[in-house]
Amino acid sequence: MRRLPGLIAMMFIFLVLLTPLPVFAEEALQTPGQSEQPADQTIEQLPETPHSEAAILIDAKSGAVLFAKNETERLYPASITKIVTGIIALEQSDPSDIVTVSKNARGEDGTRIYLAEGEQKPMLDLIEGMLINSGNDAATAIAEHIDGTKEQFAKRMNEFVRKLGLWDTNFVNPSGLPDENQYTTARDMAKIAQYAMQNEQFRQVVATKSRPWVGQEWVSKLENHNKLLGSYNGAIGVKNGFTQAAGYTLVSAAQRGDMELIGVILKGASDSGVYKDMTQLLDYGFAHFTSMQVMAADEKRTFVTRDTGKPAEFVADKPFYVTIKDGVVPTVAVDSSGKAYVQSSEVYNPAETAGALVPIVPLAEQAEVQIASVTQSNSLRGSGQSAKSSGWNLGVVITWCFMLLFMLLAGRIMYVRQRRRRLYK
């Protein structure tokens, strides 16, 4: 019986090892058909942008940055400024409004669609003339119709970008003509384009290669200056630009399958060079990344929050996407305020917010949510995994009961034998 205490100790250690581990906030994401252990990947070749001062590539759905070079450097935008003018005009005016062209608009510098003074055109026609054919006169006519002057409209443009959380961009005119106080960054322009491309009418305009134009002084075609529309598979927009001060600028969007990318290039050295750089950026994005929807709009799900360790229910007010690098299975963590983070990922900084969910119950009541709701709402784990987990837990409980019973009996035997020895001494 001297071996009995050692046996009891071994069984106790075994029971500790069987004890289920606590649930963490992180949840592994796995695309269909993606293995837990990724196959060997070919050596990744990062894109080069030798013809451009600054560049960035983002996933249009998640906003994740896939490549960046001098992305926060303030540079002149040139005609990609018109992306802001266009989305404001579509959102804050009626496309059927009749705009009367002023003398100031008719005499605007730079690229024009040759509007005549006093000519009247529907707002949508001017938006198309500005975004497709890059008409500076159309941009000025739009600005004056909405706010009276270009300067007043520029204030509206700056208010618009501040609402998007952008502080490294400033406008003084609606067309992109050179001015030392008109500047942006690659990162800011990517966020502006991401927002604008959510507007279906804007998407249709910037994807138009050409359309007839019948004006008072000019009867011709509006020809889109964005060369990627006719040369890159999946290209759907957005806008290019050029001035001597800004160099060549380009904002592009492309879509293949469920993946949509937005690239920005600023201060390009040559026209052909920026298109080569953009092609490399887009090719890199499509070759190495996947966009995955974690939650649909209005979908509810329970997460164990990372800051409290308590289960809480959240709803997505819009589709929640994350970007996955091929061969990497990241995890999603949510805090009690609804901020979502992506861990174990080569795309996201662990401290960077990847999205925002809306808590369904007040924070003070979240601790009262039943833990059982986690498994009911958590589709990421899957019903099969939940069933296996339940079976495992039941087996652990039964094993615990038998082993505890054995330990109690063994302890009783040891106690009785020790007492007998004392009595017979």
Side-chain angles (χ1 to χ4, degrees):
M1 291 299 297
R2 292 180 179 178
R3 298 178 180 177
L4 194 57
L7 181 61
I8 293 174
M10 291 178 63
M11 295 183 68
F12 178 77
I13 294 172
F14 181 65
L15 285 176
V16 171
L17 294 175
L18 279 177
T19 303
L21 294 175
V23 179
F24 293 98
E26 291 83 5
E27 296 181 347
L29 300 178
Q30 190 167 341
T31 55
Q34 185 179 20
S35 62
E36 292 282 348
Q37 298 296 329
D40 292 338
Q41 301 289 317
T42 57
I43 297 176
E44 179 184 339
Q45 183 67 43
L46 291 174
E48 296 181 357
T49 55
H51 307 93
S52 312
E53 176 71 18
I56 195 169
L57 179 71
I58 69 168
D59 181 340
K61 292 181 178 179
S62 71
V65 177
L66 312 182
F67 175 87
K69 170 188 173 183
N70 300 329
E71 72 279 12
T72 59
E73 182 179 355
R74 290 182 177 181
L75 297 166
Y76 297 127
S79 282
I80 60 175
T81 296
K82 296 182 175 84
I83 295 173
V84 179
T85 304
I87 188 61
I88 289 176
L90 286 170
E91 289 186 343
Q92 301 181 27
S93 70
D94 190 330
S96 63
D97 280 354
I98 299 301
V99 179
T100 301
V101 179
S102 70
K103 180 180 180 180
N104 186 43
R106 187 252 180 267
E108 192 60 89
D109 294 332
T111 307
R112 299 167 51 208
I113 54 172
Y114 304 102
L115 296 171
E117 182 182 352
E119 183 175 1
Q120 293 187 323
K121 280 287 186 182
M123 173 64 77
L124 183 58
D125 283 11
L126 294 180
I127 293 172
E128 291 176 335
M130 176 185 66
L131 290 175
I132 297 173
N133 212 81
S134 204
N136 291 346
D137 48 356
T140 297
I142 290 169
E144 291 179 338
H145 178 80
I146 293 175
D147 280 315
T149 66
K150 293 187 294 182
E151 293 73 20
Q152 194 62 35
F153 184 79
K155 293 180 180 179
R156 184 186 294 269
M157 297 171 74
N158 291 325
E159 290 173 0
F160 172 82
V161 296
R162 299 295 175 262
K163 288 180 180 178
L164 295 182
L166 310 178
W167 298 93
D168 287 318
T169 294
N170 191 71
F171 298 108
V172 296
N173 65 64
S175 61
L177 288 171
D179 190 292
E180 63 180 8
N181 292 317
Q182 180 130 328
Y183 53 81
T184 189
T185 69
R187 181 182 286 270
D188 281 8
M189 281 308 308
K191 291 181 179 179
I192 291 168
Q194 180 191 20
Y195 175 88
M197 290 296 284
Q198 295 174 34
N199 183 296
E200 189 58 38
Q201 198 164 30
F202 181 91
R203 291 173 71 94
Q204 292 176 6
V205 173
V206 296
T208 303
K209 295 180 182 179
S210 67
R211 71 176 286 276
W213 178 265
V214 179
Q216 189 171 312
E217 293 184 355
W218 189 55
V219 178
S220 184
K221 276 186 178 181
L222 300 178
E223 297 285 353
N224 202 313
H225 298 173
N226 181 3
K227 297 176 182 177
L228 282 189
L229 288 179
S231 63
Y232 190 82
N233 179 27
I236 54 174
V238 177
K239 186 79 183 71
N240 66 313
F242 170 77
T243 66
Q244 289 292 338
Y248 293 88
T249 62
L250 179 62
V251 179
S252 294
Q255 185 175 35
R256 293 181 185 175
D258 294 331
M259 189 77 173
E260 184 173 327
L261 301 175
I262 291 174
V264 178
I265 287 176
L266 297 180
K267 203 171 183 180
S270 67
D271 183 51
S272 60
V274 295
Y275 285 103
K276 288 180 181 178
D277 288 353
M278 184 62 74
T279 298
Q280 285 196 40
L281 284 178
L282 296 173
D283 284 347
Y284 169 75
F286 287 122
H288 295 286
F289 299 92
T290 301
S291 185
M292 178 180 178
Q293 182 173 301
V294 179
M295 294 175 68
D298 300 323
E299 180 180 350
K300 297 178 182 178
R301 178 166 299 156
T302 301
F303 292 89
V304 177
T305 57
R306 61 184 290 176
D307 52 340
T308 67
K310 306 284 186 181
E313 194 171 14
F314 300 88
V315 63
D317 58 353
K318 60 182 179 180
F320 174 32
Y321 288 89
V322 299
T323 306
I324 297 175
K325 189 169 186 178
D326 292 350
V328 178
V329 181
T331 55
V332 168
V334 180
D335 66 19
S336 56
S337 69
K339 292 180 180 178
Y341 303 85
V342 179
Q343 314 293 313
S344 305
S345 167
E346 295 184 24
V347 177
Y348 298 88
N349 182 324
E352 175 187 4
T353 303
L357 305 177
V358 180
I360 292 180
V361 295
L363 295 178
E365 299 177 17
Q366 288 185 9
E368 300 176 5
V369 179
Q370 296 298 322
I371 296 178
S373 64
V374 176
T375 55
Q376 294 173 0
S377 301
N378 188 357
S379 62
L380 286 176
R381 296 187 181 278
S383 58
Q385 186 174 350
S386 298
K388 292 179 181 178
S389 177
S390 299
W392 168 260
N393 291 337
L394 180 61
V396 169
V397 171
I398 295 173
T399 304
W400 257 96
C401 292
F402 276 110
M403 288 192 173
L404 285 174
L405 180 61
F406 175 80
M407 291 169 68
L408 289 173
L409 291 175
R412 176 65 179 171
I413 293 172
M414 291 174 62
Y415 171 75
V416 171
R417 294 202 172 195
Q418 288 289 341
R419 189 170 182 180
R420 285 178 180 175
R421 287 175 184 170
R422 291 175 183 173
L423 291 175
Y424 287 107
K425 281 184 179 180

